[in-house]
Amino acid sequence: MILFLLSLAGIPPTAGFVGKYFLFSAAMKAGWFWLTLLAVLMSAVSLFYYFRIARAMYLVEGEGELRWREEPAVSAAIAVCVAGTLAMGVLPQPFIPGSRRAAF
């Protein structure tokens, strides 16, 4: 879950970083400097909220005991999502043409 929160915040080497990089660079090329600066600042503010979620998940004592059954299908789905998030962040080149086709 921490990896996905870091991706939402745009921290490298996750897919969220690549997405924010392309978004911010396109805004800069279009001349929207003030909007890019605002977006970067709001991304920094979002880190505070994402880490509050992480703190609540891992550091705050819960009210009751939660029984978690780890199913193989759930573990496989999480592993695929983690691999995809990291693959898109580390090697984004194979994914860029598909995202450009989807954008237009």
Side-chain angles (χ1 to χ4, degrees):
M1 187 65 184
I2 295 289
L3 176 74
F4 301 128
L5 289 171
L6 291 174
S7 183
L8 283 172
I11 304 297
T14 62
F17 171 76
V18 175
K20 285 190 180 191
Y21 172 77
F22 282 117
L23 182 71
F24 296 162
S25 64
M28 290 290 286
K29 286 178 187 175
W32 293 90
F33 302 110
W34 67 271
L35 186 61
T36 306
L37 178 64
L38 181 65
V40 169
L41 291 174
M42 291 301 104
S43 292
V45 170
S46 72
L47 279 171
F48 171 74
Y49 292 101
Y50 295 143
F51 281 115
R52 285 189 63 180
I53 294 170
R55 185 178 72 83
M57 287 189 313
Y58 296 112
L59 300 176
V60 175
E61 188 71 29
E63 292 179 9
E65 189 173 326
L66 179 64
R67 300 279 184 205
W68 172 261
R69 288 186 337 176
E70 192 168 329
E71 299 288 334
V74 173
S75 297
I78 292 170
V80 167
C81 291
V82 165
T85 300
L86 289 175
M88 287 181 206
V90 174
L91 299 169
Q93 290 301 326
F95 302 99
I96 291 173
S99 64
R100 289 190 183 179
R101 280 194 306 271
F104 298 106

